[in-house]
Amino acid sequence: MSKTNGSGPATRADHGVHTDPAALLELTEVASHEPTEVGPDGAVAGYRADRTLRLGVELKRQLKRRRTQLMLGFVALLPFILVIAFEIGQANPNRRSGGFVDLATASAPNFVVLALFVSGTFLLPMIVALFYGDTIASEASWSSLKYLLAMPVPRHRVLRQKAIVSGILSAVALVLLPLVSLVVGVIWYGAGDAISPTGDAVSFGDSLVAMGLATIYIILQLAWVAGLAMLLSVATDAPLGAVGGAVIVAIVSQILDQITALEGLRDYLPTHFAFSWMDLISTDIDWTNMANGMVSAALYGTVFFLLAGRRFATKDITS
């Protein structure tokens, strides 16, 4: 297409792109001041990998996501749902014997035990699976992972920073549940002794220590879920598949753990020692099962995280 400008006729190709000459000059001027020297490692002078994808930035980003807000909100709401259920039902606050459900309204510590007990089968593993399984797979599903790596952020740093942030969010959610349950329990059922199904009575002060240790144990014991969810997250571009896969494995492991015919083989299931923290509600604590649970979670978690790191380091990132 031919066009005529003020200085005379001229012929040029018109591709439909029109850029302000002043803007081009401004960009050229800015680019001329950018560092072009190359350091010993081949990177642009001044570039430091440890300044990319900082924890604070990633944490704020994840806190702004709707799934994080909904999950934390539901965890804080769950104790109130349980209180309403007991108020509607025929709970006896003076009960001194029975199972954990029967003893839930005996005192605030017992109410905390119930909240952890009923959520330990599905909710707690799902929380960890959500934060770890969604972290890399969601970036891939949004087609933003390749741009994140091109910034450039080293792959090992992307995986490490996202794993740390996922761990922080998981720990916050897992601590929030017993904390809110304790406050709600004190208001509704009082700060009494913790009563175990065997009839042991643990003072309120000692029960607070036991609840703290139980929460720490649950967080560490779920490390195997975190590792598995992270492995699935780097292996797929579907966040739902990564989260759902880790949750399904946890459920299947719990089902197999109920089959007594497996006998000693059940000790090797990652969920076999998931509820060993209940031994803390006793005047004579047996630490054996909790120690075995910690070792099991550490082994499974380490293997899964190492596999996730290896898979992500060699994966062809196309999205």
Side-chain angles (χ1 to χ4, degrees), residues 171-296:
V172 168
L174 296 177
V175 170
L176 185 63
L177 177 60
L179 187 60
V180 176
S181 298
L182 179 63
V183 174
V184 172
V186 169
I187 295 175
W188 262 270
Y189 307 119
D193 295 343
I195 309 300
S196 70
T198 59
D200 293 337
V202 181
S203 67
F204 180 74
D206 290 341
S207 65
L208 291 182
V209 176
M211 292 301 96
L213 293 175
T215 302
I216 294 174
Y217 175 79
I218 291 173
I219 293 174
L220 297 179
Q221 200 279 326
L222 288 173
W224 77 269
V225 178
L228 177 59
M230 181 65 78
L231 174 59
L232 295 176
S233 185
V234 302
T236 180
D237 295 346
L240 183 60
V243 176
V247 173
I248 289 174
V249 171
I251 293 175
V252 171
S253 177
Q254 292 172 28
I255 293 174
L256 293 176
D257 192 41
Q258 301 301 316
I259 302 176
T260 56
L262 293 177
E263 297 180 347
L265 293 177
R266 295 186 299 167
D267 294 346
Y268 298 97
L269 294 172
T271 58
H272 182 68
F273 300 101
F275 292 92
S276 296
W277 57 268
M278 291 189 295
D279 293 338
L280 293 169
I281 311 301
S282 174
T283 54
D284 186 15
I285 301 175
D286 184 359
W287 300 93
T288 304
N289 288 334
M290 292 185 64
N292 291 335
M294 295 291 292
V295 173
S296 174

